[in-house]
Amino acid sequence: MVILAHGSVQHRSAVSDWATGIAAGGALTYNAEWPSGSGPTEEVVASLACAISVAVDDAATHGGDTSRVVYVGHSLGAGIGAAAALGGAPHLDDCTVAAEGDTLPDAFVGYEGPYDVATVDYTNDRAPLDPPGDEAADPYAQIGGNPELMLRLLHGDAEDFSWFDVPLSVSEDFADALSTAGYDAEVVVVEGGEHIEIWEDTPPQLAVVAQVQELLDEL
């Protein structure tokens, strides 16, 4: 099963072509709506953790294979989603429906995630964020949690015209920190990939769908 999360100040329609492409490969697929305009806070990462838990609970009732769970995020959905996938905001007291037991994903696919969003201000030329975001929403602070998580950090090499510019070095630095901690983490460069143009048959959509299928086959 696969859970997807859209990027900053977007809606789930932004990654609908990812969802349909993944579902066409046979995976039970969930496309989550989440409060992506609120920044790196514990409440926001808890909403993504809850979305994962709700999806796992629902998948169990529909015959989904909850032993192979992949989380997929675009942009901020990858940045803060990485914290959720690693175990950030583990308390789901406010989650109306939560699966029993461990609902952390087995694999993570992020496309152009701002993995330093809790410490860097992307609205101010990536200056240090003052005050920093909540630790629960900081992927770096969550390294060590969910140690078996496989991570693939996809990043486009096309010139980025989005205001939310995420340099390739952000994915590379996060992958280095993960690998140093013993995670199976890799950066995958998507040739021709842009940040916003992610629709059907674009390089990002094709790369994400292929990467998810590869991970599902490995799990």
mmCIF file of all heavy atoms in Angstrom, residues 18-63:
data_model
loop_
_atom_site.group_PDB
_atom_site.id
_atom_site.type_symbol
_atom_site.label_atom_id
_atom_site.label_comp_id
_atom_site.label_asym_id
_atom_site.label_seq_id
_atom_site.Cartn_x
_atom_site.Cartn_y
_atom_site.Cartn_z
ATOM 1 N N TRP A 18 0.393 11.011 -9.879
ATOM 2 C CA TRP A 18 1.251 10.052 -9.197
ATOM 3 C C TRP A 18 0.394 8.913 -8.649
ATOM 4 O O TRP A 18 0.740 7.740 -8.788
ATOM 5 C CB TRP A 18 1.991 10.718 -8.044
ATOM 6 C CG TRP A 18 2.989 11.757 -8.407
ATOM 7 C CD1 TRP A 18 3.149 12.357 -9.628
ATOM 8 C CD2 TRP A 18 3.961 12.334 -7.539
ATOM 9 N NE1 TRP A 18 4.160 13.274 -9.568
ATOM 10 C CE2 TRP A 18 4.684 13.292 -8.301
ATOM 11 C CE3 TRP A 18 4.289 12.149 -6.206
ATOM 12 C CZ2 TRP A 18 5.719 14.046 -7.749
ATOM 13 C CZ3 TRP A 18 5.320 12.905 -5.661
ATOM 14 C CH2 TRP A 18 6.026 13.836 -6.426
ATOM 15 N N ALA A 19 -0.716 9.285 -8.007
ATOM 16 C CA ALA A 19 -1.580 8.287 -7.367
ATOM 17 C C ALA A 19 -2.157 7.305 -8.378
ATOM 18 O O ALA A 19 -2.141 6.083 -8.166
ATOM 19 C CB ALA A 19 -2.706 8.981 -6.605
ATOM 20 N N THR A 20 -2.661 7.820 -9.505
ATOM 21 C CA THR A 20 -3.255 6.925 -10.501
ATOM 22 C C THR A 20 -2.196 6.038 -11.143
ATOM 23 O O THR A 20 -2.453 4.870 -11.437
ATOM 24 C CB THR A 20 -4.006 7.731 -11.579
ATOM 25 O OG1 THR A 20 -3.126 8.715 -12.137
ATOM 26 C CG2 THR A 20 -5.216 8.432 -10.983
ATOM 27 N N GLY A 21 -1.009 6.584 -11.357
ATOM 28 C CA GLY A 21 0.075 5.781 -11.930
ATOM 29 C C GLY A 21 0.503 4.657 -11.012
ATOM 30 O O GLY A 21 0.754 3.532 -11.451
ATOM 31 N N ILE A 22 0.585 4.958 -9.712
ATOM 32 C CA ILE A 22 0.972 3.934 -8.741
ATOM 33 C C ILE A 22 -0.121 2.895 -8.603
ATOM 34 O O ILE A 22 0.137 1.689 -8.577
ATOM 35 C CB ILE A 22 1.283 4.601 -7.384
ATOM 36 C CG1 ILE A 22 2.556 5.444 -7.500
ATOM 37 C CG2 ILE A 22 1.425 3.560 -6.287
ATOM 38 C CD1 ILE A 22 2.774 6.384 -6.330
ATOM 39 N N ALA A 23 -1.368 3.345 -8.525
ATOM 40 C CA ALA A 23 -2.497 2.416 -8.379
ATOM 41 C C ALA A 23 -2.613 1.488 -9.580
ATOM 42 O O ALA A 23 -2.980 0.311 -9.443
ATOM 43 C CB ALA A 23 -3.793 3.196 -8.184
ATOM 44 N N ALA A 24 -2.264 2.008 -10.767
ATOM 45 C CA ALA A 24 -2.330 1.177 -11.974
ATOM 46 C C ALA A 24 -1.363 0.006 -11.898
ATOM 47 O O ALA A 24 -1.566 -1.016 -12.567
ATOM 48 C CB ALA A 24 -2.034 2.023 -13.212
ATOM 49 N N GLY A 25 -0.332 0.138 -11.054
ATOM 50 C CA GLY A 25 0.619 -0.953 -10.878
ATOM 51 C C GLY A 25 0.157 -1.996 -9.873
ATOM 52 O O GLY A 25 0.879 -2.975 -9.634
ATOM 53 N N GLY A 26 -1.005 -1.773 -9.273
ATOM 54 C CA GLY A 26 -1.570 -2.786 -8.380
ATOM 55 C C GLY A 26 -1.519 -2.466 -6.905
ATOM 56 O O GLY A 26 -1.961 -3.280 -6.081
ATOM 57 N N ALA A 27 -1.013 -1.283 -6.529
ATOM 58 C CA ALA A 27 -0.921 -0.936 -5.105
ATOM 59 C C ALA A 27 -2.196 -0.244 -4.640
ATOM 60 O O ALA A 27 -2.757 0.597 -5.355
ATOM 61 C CB ALA A 27 0.281 -0.035 -4.856
ATOM 62 N N LEU A 28 -2.646 -0.588 -3.434
ATOM 63 C CA LEU A 28 -3.738 0.135 -2.800
ATOM 64 C C LEU A 28 -3.178 1.501 -2.416
ATOM 65 O O LEU A 28 -2.232 1.603 -1.630
ATOM 66 C CB LEU A 28 -4.223 -0.620 -1.562
ATOM 67 C CG LEU A 28 -5.446 -0.072 -0.828
ATOM 68 C CD1 LEU A 28 -6.646 0.023 -1.758
ATOM 69 C CD2 LEU A 28 -5.765 -0.954 0.370
ATOM 70 N N THR A 29 -3.742 2.568 -2.971
ATOM 71 C CA THR A 29 -3.110 3.883 -2.920
ATOM 72 C C THR A 29 -4.023 4.917 -2.276
ATOM 73 O O THR A 29 -5.201 5.009 -2.609
ATOM 74 C CB THR A 29 -2.731 4.340 -4.340
ATOM 75 O OG1 THR A 29 -1.916 3.331 -4.960
ATOM 76 C CG2 THR A 29 -1.957 5.642 -4.309
ATOM 77 N N TYR A 30 -3.448 5.704 -1.362
ATOM 78 C CA TYR A 30 -4.178 6.757 -0.652
ATOM 79 C C TYR A 30 -3.511 8.092 -0.943
ATOM 80 O O TYR A 30 -2.293 8.211 -0.854
ATOM 81 C CB TYR A 30 -4.174 6.490 0.852
ATOM 82 C CG TYR A 30 -4.898 5.226 1.244
ATOM 83 C CD1 TYR A 30 -4.265 3.984 1.150
ATOM 84 C CD2 TYR A 30 -6.217 5.268 1.680
ATOM 85 C CE1 TYR A 30 -4.933 2.816 1.494
ATOM 86 C CE2 TYR A 30 -6.887 4.104 2.031
ATOM 87 C CZ TYR A 30 -6.244 2.891 1.930
ATOM 88 O OH TYR A 30 -6.901 1.728 2.264
ATOM 89 N N ASN A 31 -4.317 9.101 -1.256
ATOM 90 C CA ASN A 31 -3.825 10.440 -1.553
ATOM 91 C C ASN A 31 -4.349 11.372 -0.458
ATOM 92 O O ASN A 31 -5.528 11.701 -0.421
ATOM 93 C CB ASN A 31 -4.313 10.879 -2.936
ATOM 94 C CG ASN A 31 -3.631 12.137 -3.428
ATOM 95 O OD1 ASN A 31 -2.842 12.746 -2.728
ATOM 96 N ND2 ASN A 31 -3.956 12.537 -4.651
ATOM 97 N N ALA A 32 -3.474 11.783 0.456
ATOM 98 C CA ALA A 32 -3.896 12.492 1.658
ATOM 99 C C ALA A 32 -3.977 14.006 1.453
ATOM 100 O O ALA A 32 -3.151 14.596 0.767
ATOM 101 C CB ALA A 32 -2.941 12.187 2.799
ATOM 102 N N GLU A 33 -4.970 14.611 2.081
ATOM 103 C CA GLU A 33 -5.053 16.063 2.188
ATOM 104 C C GLU A 33 -4.527 16.435 3.576
ATOM 105 O O GLU A 33 -4.918 15.840 4.570
ATOM 106 C CB GLU A 33 -6.510 16.521 2.053
ATOM 107 C CG GLU A 33 -6.695 18.016 1.869
ATOM 108 C CD GLU A 33 -6.415 18.473 0.446
ATOM 109 O OE1 GLU A 33 -6.935 17.869 -0.508
ATOM 110 O OE2 GLU A 33 -5.661 19.451 0.304
ATOM 111 N N TRP A 34 -3.621 17.404 3.638
ATOM 112 C CA TRP A 34 -3.034 17.756 4.941
ATOM 113 C C TRP A 34 -2.754 19.249 4.996
ATOM 114 O O TRP A 34 -2.667 19.911 3.958
ATOM 115 C CB TRP A 34 -1.763 16.938 5.184
ATOM 116 C CG TRP A 34 -0.622 17.213 4.252
ATOM 117 C CD1 TRP A 34 -0.529 16.858 2.928
ATOM 118 C CD2 TRP A 34 0.582 17.923 4.559
ATOM 119 N NE1 TRP A 34 0.655 17.293 2.404
ATOM 120 C CE2 TRP A 34 1.368 17.955 3.380
ATOM 121 C CE3 TRP A 34 1.085 18.521 5.713
ATOM 122 C CZ2 TRP A 34 2.601 18.566 3.319
ATOM 123 C CZ3 TRP A 34 2.329 19.125 5.666
ATOM 124 C CH2 TRP A 34 3.075 19.146 4.480
ATOM 125 N N PRO A 35 -2.624 19.842 6.191
ATOM 126 C CA PRO A 35 -2.471 21.298 6.331
ATOM 127 C C PRO A 35 -1.062 21.769 6.007
ATOM 128 O O PRO A 35 -0.276 22.118 6.893
ATOM 129 C CB PRO A 35 -2.830 21.540 7.805
ATOM 130 C CG PRO A 35 -2.442 20.273 8.491
ATOM 131 C CD PRO A 35 -2.760 19.172 7.507
ATOM 132 N N SER A 36 -0.726 21.813 4.733
ATOM 133 C CA SER A 36 0.649 22.064 4.308
ATOM 134 C C SER A 36 1.054 23.524 4.382
ATOM 135 O O SER A 36 2.211 23.855 4.149
ATOM 136 C CB SER A 36 0.838 21.571 2.874
ATOM 137 O OG SER A 36 -0.033 22.274 1.985
ATOM 138 N N GLY A 37 0.128 24.412 4.721
ATOM 139 C CA GLY A 37 0.483 25.823 4.783
ATOM 140 C C GLY A 37 0.873 26.300 6.163
ATOM 141 O O GLY A 37 1.086 27.497 6.369
ATOM 142 N N SER A 38 0.992 25.366 7.109
ATOM 143 C CA SER A 38 1.224 25.757 8.502
ATOM 144 C C SER A 38 2.674 25.680 8.951
ATOM 145 O O SER A 38 2.982 26.030 10.088
ATOM 146 C CB SER A 38 0.363 24.875 9.422
ATOM 147 O OG SER A 38 -1.002 24.996 9.092
ATOM 148 N N GLY A 39 3.568 25.207 8.104
ATOM 149 C CA GLY A 39 4.982 25.167 8.461
ATOM 150 C C GLY A 39 5.358 23.969 9.306
ATOM 151 O O GLY A 39 4.526 23.112 9.617
ATOM 152 N N PRO A 40 6.638 23.909 9.714
ATOM 153 C CA PRO A 40 7.155 22.740 10.439
ATOM 154 C C PRO A 40 6.775 22.758 11.919
ATOM 155 O O PRO A 40 7.557 23.162 12.776
ATOM 156 C CB PRO A 40 8.672 22.866 10.234
ATOM 157 C CG PRO A 40 8.908 24.339 10.117
ATOM 158 C CD PRO A 40 7.700 24.897 9.419
ATOM 159 N N THR A 41 5.571 22.333 12.222
ATOM 160 C CA THR A 41 5.097 22.279 13.602
ATOM 161 C C THR A 41 4.750 20.846 13.974
ATOM 162 O O THR A 41 4.520 19.988 13.105
ATOM 163 C CB THR A 41 3.851 23.150 13.801
ATOM 164 O OG1 THR A 41 2.757 22.579 13.057
ATOM 165 C CG2 THR A 41 4.099 24.577 13.334
ATOM 166 N N GLU A 42 4.670 20.601 15.274
ATOM 167 C CA GLU A 42 4.318 19.261 15.733
ATOM 168 C C GLU A 42 2.916 18.876 15.279
ATOM 169 O O GLU A 42 2.659 17.719 14.933
ATOM 170 C CB GLU A 42 4.411 19.182 17.253
ATOM 171 C CG GLU A 42 4.145 17.781 17.788
ATOM 172 C CD GLU A 42 4.531 17.619 19.238
ATOM 173 O OE1 GLU A 42 4.957 18.603 19.866
ATOM 174 O OE2 GLU A 42 4.416 16.481 19.741
ATOM 175 N N GLU A 43 1.999 19.856 15.243
ATOM 176 C CA GLU A 43 0.633 19.560 14.815
ATOM 177 C C GLU A 43 0.592 19.110 13.358
ATOM 178 O O GLU A 43 -0.177 18.216 12.994
ATOM 179 C CB GLU A 43 -0.251 20.802 15.007
ATOM 180 C CG GLU A 43 -0.538 21.177 16.443
ATOM 181 C CD GLU A 43 0.645 21.861 17.115
ATOM 182 O OE1 GLU A 43 1.576 22.314 16.395
ATOM 183 O OE2 GLU A 43 0.647 21.947 18.358
ATOM 184 N N VAL A 44 1.425 19.730 12.534
ATOM 185 C CA VAL A 44 1.435 19.385 11.102
ATOM 186 C C VAL A 44 2.012 17.988 10.874
ATOM 187 O O VAL A 44 1.439 17.185 10.132
ATOM 188 C CB VAL A 44 2.214 20.446 10.302
ATOM 189 C CG1 VAL A 44 2.428 19.967 8.874
ATOM 190 C CG2 VAL A 44 1.463 21.760 10.291
ATOM 191 N N VAL A 45 3.133 17.688 11.514
ATOM 192 C CA VAL A 45 3.703 16.354 11.327
ATOM 193 C C VAL A 45 2.791 15.304 11.934
ATOM 194 O O VAL A 45 2.677 14.175 11.419
ATOM 195 C CB VAL A 45 5.134 16.259 11.902
ATOM 196 C CG1 VAL A 45 5.152 16.247 13.402
ATOM 197 C CG2 VAL A 45 5.854 15.030 11.358
ATOM 198 N N ALA A 46 2.071 15.657 13.010
ATOM 199 C CA ALA A 46 1.123 14.714 13.595
ATOM 200 C C ALA A 46 -0.023 14.418 12.629
ATOM 201 O O ALA A 46 -0.546 13.300 12.589
ATOM 202 C CB ALA A 46 0.570 15.260 14.912
ATOM 203 N N SER A 47 -0.403 15.421 11.809
ATOM 204 C CA SER A 47 -1.472 15.194 10.836
ATOM 205 C C SER A 47 -1.040 14.178 9.785
ATOM 206 O O SER A 47 -1.841 13.348 9.340
ATOM 207 C CB SER A 47 -1.886 16.511 10.176
ATOM 208 O OG SER A 47 -0.905 16.971 9.256
ATOM 209 N N LEU A 48 0.237 14.227 9.391
ATOM 210 C CA LEU A 48 0.731 13.250 8.425
ATOM 211 C C LEU A 48 0.876 11.874 9.064
ATOM 212 O O LEU A 48 0.567 10.856 8.440
ATOM 213 C CB LEU A 48 2.069 13.714 7.848
ATOM 214 C CG LEU A 48 1.984 14.794 6.769
ATOM 215 C CD1 LEU A 48 3.368 15.275 6.377
ATOM 216 C CD2 LEU A 48 1.240 14.282 5.546
ATOM 217 N N ALA A 49 1.344 11.834 10.320
ATOM 218 C CA ALA A 49 1.430 10.556 11.022
ATOM 219 C C ALA A 49 0.044 9.937 11.158
ATOM 220 O O ALA A 49 -0.128 8.723 11.016
ATOM 221 C CB ALA A 49 2.064 10.759 12.396
ATOM 222 N N CYS A 50 -0.953 10.784 11.422
ATOM 223 C CA CYS A 50 -2.330 10.292 11.527
ATOM 224 C C CYS A 50 -2.829 9.786 10.181
ATOM 225 O O CYS A 50 -3.490 8.745 10.113
ATOM 226 C CB CYS A 50 -3.228 11.416 12.041
ATOM 227 S SG CYS A 50 -4.963 10.955 12.249
ATOM 228 N N ALA A 51 -2.500 10.493 9.102
ATOM 229 C CA ALA A 51 -2.923 10.059 7.768
ATOM 230 C C ALA A 51 -2.365 8.686 7.445
ATOM 231 O O ALA A 51 -3.065 7.823 6.876
ATOM 232 C CB ALA A 51 -2.475 11.077 6.716
ATOM 233 N N ILE A 52 -1.108 8.452 7.808
ATOM 234 C CA ILE A 52 -0.502 7.135 7.582
ATOM 235 C C ILE A 52 -1.239 6.077 8.377
ATOM 236 O O ILE A 52 -1.581 5.002 7.865
ATOM 237 C CB ILE A 52 0.994 7.157 7.961
ATOM 238 C CG1 ILE A 52 1.772 8.098 7.043
ATOM 239 C CG2 ILE A 52 1.584 5.745 7.900
ATOM 240 C CD1 ILE A 52 3.192 8.377 7.499
ATOM 241 N N SER A 53 -1.520 6.376 9.653
ATOM 242 C CA SER A 53 -2.189 5.408 10.522
ATOM 243 C C SER A 53 -3.594 5.099 10.032
ATOM 244 O O SER A 53 -4.020 3.936 10.013
ATOM 245 C CB SER A 53 -2.231 5.949 11.954
ATOM 246 O OG SER A 53 -2.791 5.006 12.834
ATOM 247 N N VAL A 54 -4.331 6.124 9.640
ATOM 248 C CA VAL A 54 -5.694 5.923 9.129
ATOM 249 C C VAL A 54 -5.669 5.069 7.864
ATOM 250 O O VAL A 54 -6.497 4.164 7.686
ATOM 251 C CB VAL A 54 -6.375 7.276 8.863
ATOM 252 C CG1 VAL A 54 -7.678 7.083 8.083
ATOM 253 C CG2 VAL A 54 -6.663 7.997 10.172
ATOM 254 N N ALA A 55 -4.719 5.354 6.974
ATOM 255 C CA ALA A 55 -4.622 4.587 5.736
ATOM 256 C C ALA A 55 -4.301 3.123 6.018
ATOM 257 O O ALA A 55 -4.881 2.219 5.401
ATOM 258 C CB ALA A 55 -3.558 5.197 4.828
ATOM 259 N N VAL A 56 -3.382 2.867 6.948
ATOM 260 C CA VAL A 56 -3.032 1.489 7.288
ATOM 261 C C VAL A 56 -4.245 0.776 7.876
ATOM 262 O O VAL A 56 -4.524 -0.386 7.549
ATOM 263 C CB VAL A 56 -1.845 1.452 8.270
ATOM 264 C CG1 VAL A 56 -1.631 0.046 8.816
ATOM 265 C CG2 VAL A 56 -0.574 1.941 7.575
ATOM 266 N N ASP A 57 -4.986 1.463 8.738
ATOM 267 C CA ASP A 57 -6.190 0.872 9.329
ATOM 268 C C ASP A 57 -7.217 0.535 8.249
ATOM 269 O O ASP A 57 -7.802 -0.546 8.238
ATOM 270 C CB ASP A 57 -6.789 1.843 10.343
ATOM 271 C CG ASP A 57 -8.061 1.309 11.003
ATOM 272 O OD1 ASP A 57 -7.941 0.428 11.882
ATOM 273 O OD2 ASP A 57 -9.157 1.763 10.625
ATOM 274 N N ASP A 58 -7.411 1.465 7.308
ATOM 275 C CA ASP A 58 -8.386 1.233 6.241
ATOM 276 C C ASP A 58 -7.922 0.132 5.303
ATOM 277 O O ASP A 58 -8.719 -0.710 4.864
ATOM 278 C CB ASP A 58 -8.602 2.531 5.459
ATOM 279 C CG ASP A 58 -9.707 2.407 4.434
ATOM 280 O OD1 ASP A 58 -10.886 2.445 4.837
ATOM 281 O OD2 ASP A 58 -9.396 2.270 3.229
ATOM 282 N N ALA A 59 -6.630 0.119 4.998
ATOM 283 C CA ALA A 59 -6.103 -0.898 4.082
ATOM 284 C C ALA A 59 -6.289 -2.298 4.644
ATOM 285 O O ALA A 59 -6.575 -3.248 3.906
ATOM 286 C CB ALA A 59 -4.629 -0.639 3.808
ATOM 287 N N ALA A 60 -6.155 -2.422 5.968
ATOM 288 C CA ALA A 60 -6.313 -3.734 6.592
ATOM 289 C C ALA A 60 -7.726 -4.270 6.400
ATOM 290 O O ALA A 60 -7.934 -5.489 6.295
ATOM 291 C CB ALA A 60 -5.971 -3.648 8.073
ATOM 292 N N THR A 61 -8.698 -3.377 6.324
ATOM 293 C CA THR A 61 -10.088 -3.809 6.146
ATOM 294 C C THR A 61 -10.433 -4.069 4.684
ATOM 295 O O THR A 61 -11.493 -4.601 4.384
ATOM 296 C CB THR A 61 -11.065 -2.756 6.702
ATOM 297 O OG1 THR A 61 -10.971 -1.566 5.922
ATOM 298 C CG2 THR A 61 -10.750 -2.452 8.155
ATOM 299 N N HIS A 62 -9.544 -3.685 3.771
ATOM 300 C CA HIS A 62 -9.789 -3.870 2.344
ATOM 301 C C HIS A 62 -8.791 -4.830 1.701
ATOM 302 O O HIS A 62 -8.622 -4.839 0.478
ATOM 303 C CB HIS A 62 -9.741 -2.525 1.618
ATOM 304 C CG HIS A 62 -10.900 -1.635 1.916
ATOM 305 N ND1 HIS A 62 -10.903 -0.745 2.965
ATOM 306 C CD2 HIS A 62 -12.109 -1.505 1.313
ATOM 307 C CE1 HIS A 62 -12.058 -0.097 2.993
ATOM 308 N NE2 HIS A 62 -12.807 -0.539 2.004
ATOM 309 N N GLY A 63 -8.135 -5.628 2.521
ATOM 310 C CA GLY A 63 -7.230 -6.636 1.981
ATOM 311 C C GLY A 63 -5.892 -6.109 1.534
ATOM 312 O O GLY A 63 -5.168 -6.803 0.803
#
